[in-house]
Structures are given as C-alpha cells and as structure tokens.
Amino acid sequence: MKWNDPMNKIKILVIDDSAVIRHLLTDILNQDDGIEVVGTAQDPIFAMNKIRSLRPDVITLDVEMPRMDGLTFLQELMSTNPVPVVMVSALTRRGCETTLKALELGAVDYVSKPVIDVSNGIINLAGEIVRKVRIAAKARVRISQKSGAGSQGIIKKSSFSAHDSQLAVTTDKIIAIGASTGGTQAIASIITCLPESTPGMVIVQHMPPLFTRSFSERLNSISRIDVKEAQTGDRVLRGTALIAPGDKHMTVRRDGAMYYVDISDGALVNFVRPSVDVLFSSVAKCAGKNAAGVILTGMGEDGARGLREMKQAGAFTIAQDELSSVVFGMPKKAIEIGAATQISSLDGIPQKILQHI
C-alpha cells in the first residue's frame, strides 16, 4: 500500500462512546496524508454494519461502551472477520487488565487514554496514535479460535512466593525473551506451553509500568511456571519468569552459580526502556553458551544486536518467523544480521527452547 497516494490511504473506523473522543481521533488521524477516517461509531452495534460497508483497514476501539463492551465485540470480530485493532483504554489498573485481555484476543496495539484532562491528553498523544495506526495497518491478523490465553485450563502449582523448596535450587541455564508489538500474545503462547522444570526466564516486553505489572500477574495466573514483575535482587530460578518493569532496564548478573537481575533507569536504548538489547547483552556476558535467546514479533530493531551478542557468546538463539509475527520488524532485523541460530513459527518455539537448553 502506498500511503502517500491519496487513492490508497489507510482507512480507519473510530469506535468510541464519547463524541469528543471520536472527534479528536478523527481530527488527529485525518491530519496524516496517508490516513483517512472513513467512519465513526458510538458503540459496537452501530460499528457492525459500518465494518461491512466501509471495510476499514484499521479500527480504533474503546473498551467500555454501552450495549456491547469492547472485549465482547473484539472477540466476535476476530473470530469472524479479523481487522487490525488499536485499543484506546484508560491508563488505570482496570484499564491495563482489560487491555491485556484485548491483546490476547487479537488486538494489535493500544493507546493509553489519560484519565484526567482527556482532550488535551489525546492531543498530546497524536504522534503515538498515528504511529500505532500505521503499524497496525501492516500487521497480520488471523481468525481467532480461542477466547484468550487463559482458556486452556492451566493448573497452577503454587504461588511465586510459596516456592520455599526452590530457594535451594540453582541452575546454570537461562532463557531470555524480547518482544514488542504483538508480543503479549506471543509470550503468553510460549509460557503456557512450558513445564514447571523450565530454566529461569527473563523477559522484556515493551509496555508502560502499570501494564507490566498486570501482564506479569496475568501470565502467572495462566501458566505452570511462576511469573512476576522483576525487582533488583530477584534470583532467576528454575520454573520462574521475571518481567522487566515498564520504563526500567533489566540486566542479569551472575554471582557464583546463581543469576540475579538488576533494575535500573538510564538512557533510552533504541528509543525504548526497557530495552531488549540491554537484557540480551547482559545475558551474553554472564551466561554465554548456557543461555537461549528468543526474539519475537515487534516493530523496530531492538534486540537484534543483543541477540547477535548472545549467539557470538555461544547461546542458542531463535527468531520468530514472518508468517506467525504480528509485526515482522525485530525478528527480521535479527535474521538479517545473522543473529538467529534458528527461525521458527511461534508454535514451534517452546519445543525448540526445551530441546536446546
């Protein structure tokens, strides 16, 4: 699609129960020469007919609306007529949890709508909104056959804090994973397939602070391994996964036979914080051939060079393939620079990890 061609603009449908927000989003998106808002709807019921008649390339969708909530609508949409969706939700704890469920159901990305002074807040987010809509227009979306990552009936063993027996366990193996756009669903897909005996995992997913905490808790509730938002000094233990907090870098260090994580501020790397490159580089230095690195779906290049450092240090490295990636940016760059030992579909990654670690 040539977005600078006026005959080939990205067609957007804006769904929000607030007339003010619909107007603001329409103005913001129409200011981009390559985007055209072809319609708006105040709730999903009105939106159904408009989707069929207007055939939008991307939908922006509010979560809480009358007559049908955004999640119910999204689930129906993705199971019958999938269209790339960018969620627009309040930056609150409840909003984070709902948005994560939406990402599991197939939404491509989200914009955090401010709770206070919404109008000015949306205007200040104009650049982010346009960028995420453009990314969504390139995303691969497929018909969903499930209602979310939690539908598999995972039986948890016990809570993270209750693993007293694991305090005496150590391992010289470690798994590092990095992802961005589309990554929440991909990470959930991998983690829910892994057994309790899986070596310790460290994960960077690009998202804000409130979201990483909710994401960690969500993963912990649906997987056999224990997942938590990382804090400085946390040990990387078998059967556990540590998620880098939003807006903080995470690195791994080794002390004897034990791995620990450190959480820090610092400059943005590849325009992001946390950075996958920062994590992967630290794992390359402290774990070498005893590590596995996985780079998943995402826009940009973060993680590619760090994955190459891991491979050069002897680690087994995997890049998600194009067909199963929502956005084939980060894995593509890793493949181009020779950072991947193997290229794999998302479904094949858990088995490859366990075979080689």
Side-chain angles (χ1 to χ4, degrees):
M1 177 182 293
K2 296 179 181 178
W3 292 334
N4 58 349
D5 184 344
M7 301 300 293
N8 254 333
K9 292 185 176 183
I10 303 170
K11 296 186 295 182
I12 311 297
L13 176 65
V14 174
I15 309 174
D16 198 296
D17 65 331
S18 166
V20 173
I21 298 300
R22 293 197 302 272
H23 179 74
L24 286 171
L25 289 175
T26 299
D27 282 351
I28 287 168
L29 291 167
N30 279 338
Q31 286 177 19
D32 189 288
D33 291 339
I35 295 174
E36 179 185 6
V37 175
V38 293
T40 65
Q42 66 189 47
D43 65 44
I45 304 300
F46 282 116
M48 295 290 192
N49 290 331
K50 291 196 174 186
I51 291 171
R52 285 190 285 268
S53 61
L54 298 174
R55 298 185 179 276
D57 300 309
V58 179
I59 293 170
T60 69
L61 177 64
D62 190 13
V63 175
E64 297 181 357
M65 289 179 293
R67 298 212 287 173
M68 179 187 289
D69 69 90
L71 290 180
T72 302
F73 169 75
L74 180 63
Q75 184 172 344
E76 183 174 335
L77 178 72
M78 299 309 291
S79 64
T80 58
N81 182 33
V83 177
V85 172
V86 176
M87 302 300 297
V88 180
S89 62
L91 185 56
T92 63
R93 185 61 183 272
R94 180 181 175 185
C96 293
E97 293 168 354
T98 304
T99 300
L100 288 171
K101 291 178 184 177
L103 293 171
E104 290 175 5
L105 290 171
V108 174
D109 212 331
Y110 58 90
V111 175
S112 298
K113 182 166 58 178
V115 179
I116 301 172
D117 195 9
V118 177
S119 296
N120 284 327
I122 289 288
I123 293 171
N124 291 335
L125 292 170
E128 179 183 351
I129 292 167
V130 169
R131 178 175 61 83
K132 290 188 174 182
V133 162
R134 282 187 167 275
I135 291 171
K138 299 188 218 178
R140 295 173 178 266
V141 292
R142 302 172 183 81
I143 292 179
S144 173
Q145 301 297 329
K146 59 184 181 178
S147 61
S151 62
Q152 300 174 20
I154 296 297
I155 300 175
K156 288 290 293 179
K157 39 183 185 174
S158 60
S159 68
F160 185 91
S161 60
H163 276 239
D164 296 331
S165 62
Q166 295 235 0
L167 295 177
V169 179
T170 187
T171 175
D172 61 354
K173 305 292 185 182
I174 190 169
I175 301 165
I177 297 177
S180 189
T181 309
T184 55
Q185 192 175 25
I187 291 169
S189 175
I190 291 171
I191 283 188
T192 53
C193 290
L194 295 174
E196 299 172 18
S197 58
T198 302
M201 306 175 72
V202 285
I203 300 170
V204 164
Q205 165 69 46
H206 296 157
M207 55 172 49
L210 283 176
F211 282 84
T212 50
R213 178 169 296 182
S214 294
F215 182 46
S216 303
E217 292 172 355
R218 175 66 177 156
L219 288 178
N220 188 58
S221 72
I222 63 174
S223 62
R224 296 181 179 90
I225 65 175
D226 291 312
V227 186
K228 73 182 290 281
E229 186 180 59
Q231 296 177 300
T232 292
D234 281 345
R235 282 181 56 189
V236 185
L237 294 168
R238 183 175 293 274
T240 68
L242 300 173
I243 309 288
D247 201 34
K248 301 285 184 181
H249 289 307
M250 180 168 71
T251 54
V252 177
R253 59 183 167 86
R254 186 164 186 165
D255 186 354
M258 302 175 189
Y259 294 111
Y260 296 87
V261 296
D262 290 319
I263 307 301
S264 63
D265 297 312
L268 301 180
V269 176
N270 300 316
F271 308 104
V272 292
R273 186 176 53 232
S275 163
V276 183
D277 267 336
V278 169
L279 174 65
F280 283 179
S281 180
S282 71
V283 173
K285 292 178 175 67
C286 73
K289 65 181 180 180
N290 292 318
V294 183
I295 191 163
L296 300 173
T297 173
M299 191 71 177
E301 301 181 357
D302 188 36
R305 291 170 182 81
L307 193 73
R308 183 171 59 185
E309 287 184 44
M310 289 185 65
K311 183 181 179 184
Q312 291 170 341
F316 175 68
T317 58
I318 305 171
Q320 186 177 351
D321 69 1
E322 181 175 7
L323 188 61
S324 66
S325 294
V326 174
V327 178
F328 192 53
M330 289 161 50
K332 179 181 180 181
K333 182 62 177 181
I335 294 165
E336 287 176 349
I337 66 174
T341 307
Q342 289 192 14
I343 303 167
S344 174
S345 68
L346 181 60
D347 289 343
I349 289 175
Q351 183 178 6
K352 290 184 182 298
I353 290 173
L354 295 176
Q355 285 176 340
H356 291 88
I357 194 71

